[in-house]
Amino acid sequence: MSSLNPLPHLGPHLPTFLLSTLFFYGIQYTSHKISPRLVAKYGEFDKRTRTGWATHVVSMVHAILVIPLAFQCLSSPSLKSDPVFGYDHFVGHVFAFSSGYFLWDTLDSLMNSTIGFVVHGAACLAVFMFSFRPFLAGFGAPFLLWELSTPLLNIHWFMDKSGLSTRYPTFFLANALMFMLVFFLARIVYGGANSLLFFRTMWTERDRIPLHLHVIYCSGNLALNALNWLWFSKMLDKMYARIQGDEKVKSPKGGKGEKEPLIRDDAKDGEDPSQIKKEEEEEEGSLTLPANPPSPIVEKGDRDVL
């Protein structure tokens, strides 16, 4: 591997990577333009919710496109034989496509979100870019299949914000329950099984992998799995409270979980600085994808969680 080119396989996929980034910016721009015409309540949204709406649209488009591609990547013979140092040209194009999304996500989070979202996007981008060394390309597709629960989460969020949750409560609840099921199967069961395979492979190939990469990737994998369990446990807590008839499961108001700018122009927004400070304190530790997924079961007075 040339020390002058740490990503020797990136070159052929660079156009895909750049076009993908532009594509997702185009989706975001288009969402801002056409959503007011398609969503009746869009005019009632505040700035934060409009930003979140476009973000969820981009997330939905990426998930719908990348999930079938990720399934195709699973059948790569070269990556099956060597998931650590193997390489596949088609898989490289898929990873370049998702890398464009994660680059968009990182840059967008810098403008509209908290540092946690920035770190999440940058970490995902780094992991997929490293596959062009190549390194651990065989584990990229299973990681992308964690996106299986994302469309259901986005449907839940769209219905909640647009008022369709009260018009179609049965579908809203069914979608929420399906989201929990798919989240459990994709992230806890399938993700956990692939993590065990990952650790076994890293141990088997320990003599060929530098120690610092062992520490970075293994600790990162543990952290992501721990977060998945944390998110799922919070969903179960909310569900249990709902079943027990606890109608007082409250969450902070003010759009908790929405993307929040790292630097805010409070005077321009015309907001009360004391209220902004209060909302920032309430949002600390909030849960929403991709940093944390919210509970899919909410009360009538708890709509701003999602």
Side-chain angles (χ1 to χ4, degrees):
M1 183 184 305
S2 173
S3 59
L4 299 178
N5 185 8
L7 304 174
H9 291 284
L10 177 60
H13 307 290
L14 193 57
T16 301
F17 173 57
L18 296 177
L19 289 173
S20 172
T21 306
L22 294 175
F23 170 72
F24 288 114
Y25 269 108
I27 295 296
Q28 183 183 37
Y29 176 82
T30 302
S31 174
H32 283 299
K33 291 297 181 181
I34 69 173
S35 293
R37 305 175 185 177
L38 300 178
V39 182
K41 292 189 64 176
Y42 192 87
E44 303 174 15
F45 295 165
D46 58 18
K47 181 179 178 181
R48 181 187 297 180
T49 304
R50 293 180 182 182
T51 298
W53 186 279
T55 298
H56 280 270
V57 170
V58 177
S59 169
M60 178 70 97
V61 171
H62 172 255
I64 290 175
L65 293 177
V66 84
I67 287 172
L69 294 173
F71 275 113
Q72 294 184 53
C73 293
L74 295 177
S75 60
S76 169
S78 60
L79 295 184
K80 283 183 176 180
S81 61
D82 188 359
V84 179
F85 299 106
Y87 174 75
D88 182 286
H89 189 75
F90 171 77
V91 174
H93 276 306
V94 175
F95 290 174
F97 173 75
S98 278
S99 294
Y101 167 76
F102 288 121
L103 176 60
W104 166 85
D105 183 50
T106 303
L107 297 176
D108 182 69
S109 296
L110 279 169
M111 299 299 297
N112 301 307
S113 187
T114 61
I115 191 63
F117 284 93
V118 177
V119 172
H120 177 275
C124 292
L125 174 62
V127 167
F128 280 98
M129 293 301 284
F130 261 83
S131 66
F132 297 110
R133 296 187 64 165
F135 183 63
L136 295 178
F139 291 96
F143 179 82
L144 284 176
L145 287 178
W146 283 13
E147 294 286 337
L148 282 166
S149 61
T150 299
L152 295 168
L153 174 66
N154 287 331
I155 291 172
H156 183 89
W157 195 92
F158 290 137
M159 291 187 68
D160 182 71
K161 294 299 181 183
S162 62
L164 294 178
S165 58
T166 54
R167 184 179 299 181
Y168 305 103
T170 302
F171 179 81
F172 183 69
L173 178 60
N175 179 79
L177 295 175
M178 183 60 67
F179 164 68
M180 291 185 65
L181 176 62
V182 175
F183 185 96
F184 175 75
L185 294 176
R187 295 193 175 223
I188 304 300
V189 178
Y190 181 74
N194 275 282
S195 292
L196 292 176
L197 178 60
F198 165 81
F199 285 115
R200 187 179 71 179
T201 302
M202 293 291 282
W203 175 255
T204 302
E205 301 288 346
R206 61 189 181 278
D207 295 331
R208 302 171 63 193
I209 302 174
L211 178 60
H212 69 281
L213 292 181
H214 269 283
V215 174
I216 293 173
Y217 278 83
C218 289
S219 60
N221 188 289
L222 286 173
L224 288 174
N225 278 281
L227 285 174
N228 283 334
W229 277 100
L230 173 64
W231 300 335
F232 191 68
S233 68
K234 289 183 177 293
M235 294 179 204
L236 292 178
D237 287 343
K238 285 287 186 74
M239 176 66 75
Y240 180 76
R242 180 76 174 236
I243 294 175
Q244 293 298 312
D246 182 2
E247 300 293 335
K248 297 181 180 181
V249 180
K250 297 295 182 182
S251 297
K253 296 180 181 180
K256 175 183 175 183
E258 300 290 353
K259 284 198 168 186
E260 177 70 17
L262 291 175
I263 302 176
R264 294 188 53 159
D265 186 350
D266 301 333
K268 183 181 295 184
D269 291 342
E271 298 181 63
D272 183 358
S274 62
Q275 179 63 24
I276 293 169
K277 179 63 176 177
K278 179 181 179 182
E279 289 180 0
E280 289 175 348
E281 292 174 350
E282 287 176 334
E283 285 183 345
E284 189 172 333
S286 63
L287 300 176
T288 181
L289 282 175
N292 326 20
S295 166
I297 308 298
V298 295
E299 305 298 333
K300 289 183 179 180
D302 199 23
R303 296 298 183 193
D304 288 335
V305 178
L306 300 175

